[in-house]
Amino acid sequence: MLKKRIIPAIDVTNDQAVKYVQFRNPTVIGDPAELGRNYAEQGADEILYLDTTASLHSQDVKYEWIRRVAEELYIPFSVVGGIRTIDDFKRVLRAGADKVGVNTAAVKKPELLTEAANIFGSQCVVLALDAKPIKDDDGEIIRWEVYTHSAHESSGMDAIEWACRAEELGAGEIVCTSIDRDGMKNGYDIELLRSLTKTVNIPIIASGGAGNMAHILEAFKDGLVDAALVASLLHYGELTVMDIKKYLSQHDVPIRYHSI
């Protein structure tokens, strides 16, 4: 059985690590490289860095902080945000990242996923899927809609249909963030995650909403995800990665322990 992954998520803006709530109101929490090294030492399987402003403001990727992260980390890390072209993929990978994630650029130009997969391999092509529920008059969810530009703009696309197409185009895994739950600590959107994991065959990474260890367990047991992103619980010192892994192991979730 494949081991499940715990992946700390670190938002970066202006070369600083920050924490957002629903993609807004950032609070500075430290240095990206130092935070990443700390989580690696706690036993993280990977680190995911998100530049949540690059797409929104059409900024170029800043490579210096990526190089500093690469110098500090001995585990894989991904960079998401601001990647628009194959050259951007190339530069981020050359700066030291192991995977590259795209959202807005892939929605605008879906063939970018195929081009990147053909050149670099699907294993390093990550689709960042930011979704919001669309409800009927009775408050029932009828579908989830894809948002771009750091969750500020609706694409009008159905999230499940887009995930299926992205897999066909060459994405190697999907990081799915429930926008309404991001930073709220009230649990992942299990219905959304289950819909994805039962539809596509590539790994799904849960993002947005972990408020306690039971939420993370629920993502694995009920959402059937392959990995879980965790941010607030770690950033504010409520838990360590090892706390989470021990809890999951006690509840029969297969996890990997790293020797440091």
Side-chain angles (χ1 to χ4, degrees):
M1 181 179 292
L2 290 176
K3 305 290 187 181
K4 303 298 185 180
R5 291 172 285 158
I6 297 298
I7 306 176
I10 300 174
D11 295 317
V12 179
T13 185
N14 297 322
D15 297 338
Q16 293 182 307
V18 299
K19 185 68 189 81
Y20 287 87
V21 175
Q22 295 182 324
F23 289 81
R24 288 161 173 81
N25 303 319
T27 300
V28 175
I29 57 173
D31 175 75
E34 290 179 3
L35 271 180
R37 184 183 65 237
N38 179 44
Y39 296 144
E41 291 172 350
Q42 291 181 16
D45 297 290
E46 302 175 22
I47 307 288
L48 191 144
Y49 289 92
L50 304 102
D51 185 336
T52 51
T53 59
S55 293
L56 181 61
H57 300 294
S58 298
Q59 295 177 354
D60 292 331
V61 179
K62 295 182 178 179
Y63 301 102
E64 186 54 40
W65 72 262
I66 300 175
R67 295 187 187 97
R68 288 193 291 108
V69 166
E71 291 173 355
E72 293 287 344
L73 287 189
Y74 52 86
I75 61 173
F77 72 96
S78 306
V79 174
V80 180
I83 288 88
R84 302 177 184 88
T85 66
I86 290 297
D87 281 344
D88 290 337
F89 264 86
K90 191 177 300 182
R91 293 188 185 102
V92 170
L93 293 170
R94 283 178 175 171
D98 299 274
K99 302 177 186 178
V100 179
V102 286
N103 175 358
T104 303
V107 170
K108 289 182 175 180
K109 184 184 176 185
E111 60 268 28
L112 178 64
L113 295 172
T114 304
E115 294 173 14
N118 288 340
I119 295 171
F120 309 111
S122 292
Q123 79 286 343
C124 81
V125 180
V126 180
L127 178 72
L129 176 60
D130 298 337
K132 274 191 175 185
I134 303 300
K135 301 179 181 180
D136 61 20
D137 293 339
D138 297 321
E140 296 295 320
I141 296 174
I142 54 177
R143 68 189 185 97
W144 290 270
E145 196 161 281
V146 177
Y147 272 66
T148 61
H149 298 83
S150 294
H152 285 70
E153 293 187 18
S154 171
S155 70
M157 297 167 59
D158 179 88
I160 308 302
E161 292 177 0
W162 173 226
C164 291
R165 188 179 178 202
E167 179 182 15
E168 294 172 354
L169 289 166
E173 64 182 11
I174 298 172
V175 177
C176 178
T177 301
S178 174
I179 296 168
D180 288 351
R181 292 171 179 259
D182 181 69
M184 301 303 291
K185 302 177 70 173
N186 57 0
Y188 300 98
D189 188 332
I190 301 300
E191 187 177 351
L192 169 59
L193 295 173
R194 190 185 298 116
S195 296
L196 285 169
T197 55
K198 289 186 174 181
T199 303
V200 303
N201 296 307
I202 55 177
I204 299 296
I205 302 172
S207 173
N212 55 51
M213 290 191 285
H215 290 154
I216 302 169
L217 178 64
E218 184 183 31
F220 287 120
K221 292 286 192 178
D222 298 333
L224 306 176
V225 299
D226 299 270
L229 285 192
V230 186
S232 298
L233 287 172
L234 299 176
H235 296 334
Y236 300 126
E238 297 175 50
L239 295 171
T240 67
V241 175
M242 191 54 64
D243 290 334
I244 295 168
K245 285 195 167 188
K246 287 179 178 178
Y247 175 84
L248 294 174
S249 182
Q250 290 167 358
H251 289 79
D252 301 318
V253 175
I255 57 92
R256 180 181 296 108
Y257 287 102
H258 300 276
S259 57
I260 300 173

